[in-house]
Amino acid sequence: MKFIQNPFGYERILKKEDLGSGKKPKGSRASDWKRTLSRIWRIVDEQRALLVMVLVMVVISSALSLIGPFLIGRIVDYYVVPGKFEGMRTIILTLIGVYVVLSISLFLQNYWMIGIAQQTIYRMRTGVFEKLLKLPVSYFDQRQHGELMSRATNDIETVSSTLNSSFIQVFSSVLTLTGTVLVMLYLSPLLTVLTMLIIPLMFWAMRWITRRTGKLFKEQQAALGALNGMIEETISGQRVVKAFSQEERVIEEFRAKSSRLRMVGFWALSYSGYIPKVMNGLNNMSFAIVAGMGGLLALNGHVSIGTIVIFAEYARQFTRPLNDLANQFNTVLSAIAGAERVFAVMDEPTEEDNGSRDVQLRGAVAFRDVSFKYDATAEHDTLRHVHFAIEPGQTVALVGSTGAGKTTIMQLIARFYDTASGCVEFDGRDVRSIARQTLRSQMAFVLQDPFLFEATVYDNIRYGKLDATDEEIVEAAKKANAHDFIMKLGEGYNTVLSADGSEISQGQKQLLSIARALVADPVILLLDEATSSIDTVTEMKIQEALEVLMEGRTSFVIAHRLNTVRNADVVLVLQQGEIVEAGLQEELIARDGMYASMLKAGKDIDELLDR
């Protein structure tokens, strides 16, 4: 599949194999769509009572839609043709009653079905969101966030629109089709056979079209997810885009992705759009057959004029359900493609959390010959034979260039990932024997780029401990040197911050994150020091707050400034995934190795190691 340039932009050239030859791609499972429908049905079936009422209304409306044309034919035969109008009033009132009840049944079935559909979508949306929160960090590291958002919104919305309309339409069409054929056979078997001559043509046309549209609709959902992923990524990184003047390149990339979605959507809708056109043509052909042959049979006295009227209406009513089924088939294909993407997320393995939940950490941490790599197929390990032991209450500075393995050590301590070989121990226990939730509930993180929620200052700090009182939050803010600037905000602690915290500075966001960690009262701290891009005055405030936060707690600090290293109990110098130096600062100076060279230079650690 490729794009070529034309005067109007990028056009996607769809090869024959792109459109689908009807053959299953290698490795695909023919039963996938059945499994997906079965899973949707299990959710719908939980509202069985309401569903039964909907089906009853569908049966009633389908029956009444057959009775109406039958009564019209009888009016023609018994009253219009003979010119006899006595008693006609009763049958006309009956006909009006039929259509009134038909309207009521249609309203009720649609009303109840909307409720079923919305409850089903609520279950799916809630299920996928809950699953996203239970998935490991590695899952999000490997996927675009916007693409995941597309699955939780666009794909589920496609399922919603299909349930709202297609479910009733398909069931009603099947019933109407069956009833119509039976009544037509009762009235005139010959005309029924003539009417059904178009069915083979309908099925052939349907098969030819749907073999191509199914693959295209699935590709359309994937292209939409990729486009949403790029949009989310661009909006999140728009400062970087502007800083490097990459607007034109991003626009071109967007145009290419958007053009791909446009062309896939064009061909999907074009092929599916053939269906009503073909069906209308065959419908007119059927009507012409009924009118012509019915007229000849009526002239020979084989059928009445009323029967021809009924058959003309039934012939149209016979092809209408086929047309509806054909149109809904494309909608259902699109919904199945979306549902498969949603269920693919829901089927992902979650983080196993079977360890002990009754563990109170003291703060001793040890790495025992730990080796690790993010990608099992990678040639080299990210960490190689890392070995160290930290006592409770010690501060550990992790020093090293970009890619040395500092963040990976943090990830393993928090058990965002598990080791490939060796083990991480807490108080002499393998970390895998401790439940993740129990482990992380006794940790706190202060990241280099703090994240705030769209909520009040109270709520953002309370995120560290949801049952914290307002007094505890204020006390934590004072210890974090955040109280003064909070009180200067419009509504103090009740000020609502935006998701990106644009109302306050980077340093102030960092102070709030430190206050959040103080409220949590953790045993172990993981700190990605965030003072490298902060002004000197703010840095001093943050440093003071960090000293209060780290007091009496085991702390791991990714060090970017030498000030942090000087205050550490243990310094671990990493290079290419290995610890090349470890010990007290004085010991490392005495060795006159890499760390000593950095001190002599008196520059930032990252800058020295990257040279």
Side-chain angles (χ1 to χ4, degrees):
M1 151 188 339
K2 61 180 180 178
F3 290 92
I4 62 170
Q5 184 80 39
N6 71 15
F8 304 100
Y10 287 97
E11 295 292 338
R12 178 174 178 274
I13 303 302
L14 292 176
K15 299 178 182 179
K16 184 178 180 181
E17 55 268 28
D18 291 333
L19 298 177
S21 60
K23 295 180 180 180
K24 294 286 180 182
K26 188 175 182 180
S28 67
R29 293 176 297 170
S31 60
D32 277 355
W33 68 272
K34 295 180 181 178
R35 180 172 174 268
T36 302
L37 286 176
S38 176
R39 294 182 67 170
I40 296 174
W41 174 253
R42 285 199 296 272
I43 301 174
V44 172
D45 194 45
E46 293 176 3
Q47 305 171 77
R48 188 173 302 173
L50 195 58
L51 186 61
V52 169
M53 295 171 65
V54 170
L55 296 180
V56 169
M57 289 298 105
V58 172
V59 171
I60 292 174
S61 62
S62 298
L64 293 176
S65 66
L66 294 174
I67 293 174
F70 190 84
L71 291 177
I72 293 174
R74 288 297 176 257
I75 290 173
V76 171
D77 278 344
Y78 296 151
Y79 300 100
V80 177
V81 173
K84 176 184 174 183
F85 298 103
E86 184 179 350
M88 186 176 177
R89 178 181 176 184
T90 302
I91 195 169
I92 290 178
L93 291 175
T94 302
L95 183 62
I96 293 174
V98 165
Y99 284 115
V100 169
V101 176
L102 174 61
S103 299
I104 294 173
S105 64
L106 289 173
F107 170 78
L108 290 176
Q109 71 186 36
N110 286 321
Y111 179 79
W112 289 332
M113 192 61 214
I114 289 172
I116 292 173
Q118 291 305 309
Q119 179 64 21
T120 300
I121 295 309
Y122 168 79
R123 289 287 309 280
M124 289 182 65
R125 186 179 288 118
T126 303
V128 74
F129 185 75
E130 289 178 355
K131 188 58 177 276
L132 286 172
L133 293 180
K134 296 177 182 178
L135 290 173
V137 172
S138 58
Y139 180 83
F140 299 96
D141 290 343
Q142 298 165 6
R143 292 165 177 82
Q144 282 187 316
H145 296 173
E147 199 272 341
L148 294 177
M149 290 172 60
S150 180
R151 298 191 185 208
T153 53
N154 294 338
D155 290 337
I156 288 182
E157 195 57 38
T158 301
V159 178
S160 174
S161 61
T162 301
L163 283 176
N164 283 332
S165 59
S166 299
F167 178 83
I168 292 177
Q169 194 68 55
V170 169
F171 189 63
S172 176
S173 296
V174 171
L175 286 178
T176 302
L177 196 59
T178 303
T180 301
V181 172
L182 292 175
V183 177
M184 288 170 69
L185 286 171
Y186 168 75
L187 292 173
S188 174
L190 179 57
L191 278 179
T192 303
V193 171
L194 292 173
T195 303
M196 291 185 177
L197 289 175
I198 64 168
I199 290 180
L201 291 174
M202 286 185 173
F203 277 109
W204 179 85
M206 276 285 297
R207 186 169 180 269
W208 187 86
I209 294 172
T210 55
R211 285 168 65 181
R212 289 155 174 79
T213 55
K215 198 171 184 178
L216 285 167
F217 276 121
K218 180 174 285 190
E219 189 177 344
Q220 184 182 27
Q221 293 297 115
L224 180 60
L227 186 67
N228 286 337
M230 182 192 174
I231 292 172
E232 189 273 339
E233 185 180 72
T234 303
I235 292 174
S236 299
Q238 53 94 13
R239 285 184 175 84
V240 177
V241 174
K242 292 182 180 298
F244 288 92
S245 302
Q246 292 296 316
E247 292 91 341
E248 289 301 320
R249 187 195 65 79
V250 172
I251 290 172
E252 283 301 312
E253 184 180 350
F254 178 84
R255 283 176 177 168
K257 288 182 179 293
S258 184
S259 181
R260 177 175 181 270
L261 175 60
R262 175 173 63 88
M263 293 306 297
V264 171
F266 171 81
W267 286 109
L269 294 175
S270 293
Y271 273 98
S272 63
Y274 293 157
I275 292 177
K277 308 299 187 295
V278 172
M279 291 301 175
N280 285 335
L282 295 175
N283 187 23
N284 292 331
M285 184 186 301
S286 175
F287 183 82
I289 291 173
V290 170
M293 296 303 299
L296 291 176
L297 292 174
L299 290 175
N300 294 322
H302 294 295
V303 295
S304 65
I305 295 177
T307 299
I308 298 175
V309 172
I310 296 173
F311 248 89
E313 183 61 30
Y314 278 178
R316 195 172 295 276
Q317 195 157 296
F318 173 76
T319 53
R320 188 186 306 129
L322 291 176
N323 195 10
D324 291 340
L325 285 172
N327 288 329
Q328 295 305 324
F329 187 80
N330 284 293
T331 304
V332 170
L333 285 177
S334 181
I336 290 175
E340 282 182 348
R341 285 160 50 82
V342 173
F343 289 139
V345 175
M346 298 175 73
D347 290 340
E348 286 289 333
T350 58
E351 282 187 326
E352 294 183 4
D353 208 13
N354 300 324
S356 175
R357 299 181 182 276
D358 186 23
V359 177
Q360 181 59 47
L361 300 180
R362 292 187 300 108
V365 180
F367 273 50
R368 306 295 186 190
D369 194 29
V370 170
S371 294
F372 174 79
K373 53 186 173 183
Y374 291 99
D375 185 357
T377 62
E379 183 177 352
H380 301 291
D381 289 340
T382 306
L383 292 180
R384 292 191 293 274
H385 306 294
V386 173
H387 194 94
F388 63 84
I390 305 302
E391 297 298 322
Q394 287 188 318
T395 296
V396 182
L398 301 176
V399 178
S401 61
T402 302
K406 306 185 297 292
T407 300
T408 302
I409 288 178
M410 296 281 204
Q411 303 253 40
L412 294 178
I413 292 173
R415 209 184 165 194
F416 290 146
Y417 292 86
D418 281 328
T419 59
S421 64
C423 70
V424 179
E425 294 181 354
F426 287 83
D427 304 331
R429 300 183 53 157
D430 191 321
V431 67
R432 287 166 289 200
S433 68
I434 305 173
R436 284 184 169 88
Q437 187 174 4
T438 301
L439 180 71
R440 293 168 188 165
S441 67
Q442 299 179 62
M443 293 181 177
F445 299 80
V446 179
L447 305 177
Q448 187 171 10
D449 188 14
F451 183 85
L452 298 179
F453 296 91
E454 188 171 349
T456 64
V457 174
Y458 268 131
D459 291 335
N460 268 286
I461 298 177
R462 187 177 281 118
Y463 205 79
K465 180 184 176 184
L466 296 181
D467 59 351
T469 63
D470 290 352
E471 290 75 19
E472 289 177 314
I473 291 172
V474 172
E475 182 62 25
K478 288 180 178 178
K479 290 181 179 179
N481 289 332
H483 178 74
D484 291 341
F485 90 79
I486 292 173
M487 295 306 297
K488 294 178 182 178
L489 297 176
E491 298 182 40
Y493 284 86
N494 289 310
T495 302
V496 177
L497 303 175
S498 60
D500 60 356
S502 57
E503 302 88 347
I504 58 179
S505 69
Q506 180 72 13
Q508 290 170 335
K509 287 193 287 185
Q510 193 61 269
L511 293 176
L512 288 182
S513 70
I514 293 173
R516 181 190 293 166
L518 279 165
V519 166
D521 192 22
V523 177
I524 297 174
L525 283 169
L526 303 175
L527 310 174
D528 187 351
E529 189 183 19
T531 59
S532 57
S533 58
I534 303 297
D535 63 86
T536 305
V537 175
T538 306
E539 180 184 352
M540 292 176 61
K541 291 183 178 180
I542 293 176
Q543 197 66 45
E544 290 175 4
L546 286 174
E547 289 175 4
V548 173
L549 177 61
M550 295 162 64
E551 186 177 354
R553 298 182 172 95
T554 303
S555 304
F556 288 84
V557 184
I558 294 179
H560 298 279
R561 296 279 177 103
L562 292 177
N563 287 335
T564 304
V565 183
R566 291 190 180 102
N567 296 328
D569 299 305
V570 180
V571 179
L572 300 179
V573 182
L574 292 105
Q575 187 176 35
Q576 296 181 353
E578 296 180 342
I579 296 178
V580 294
E581 291 184 357
L584 297 174
Q585 181 174 239
E586 292 77 9
E587 296 173 349
L588 297 180
I589 294 174
R591 291 177 190 173
D592 197 23
M594 182 182 295
Y595 182 73
S597 299
M598 288 187 283
L599 283 183
K600 291 175 183 177
K603 295 184 178 181
D604 287 355
I605 295 170
D606 277 353
E607 180 185 343
L608 288 163
L609 291 178
D610 282 335
R611 287 195 310 179

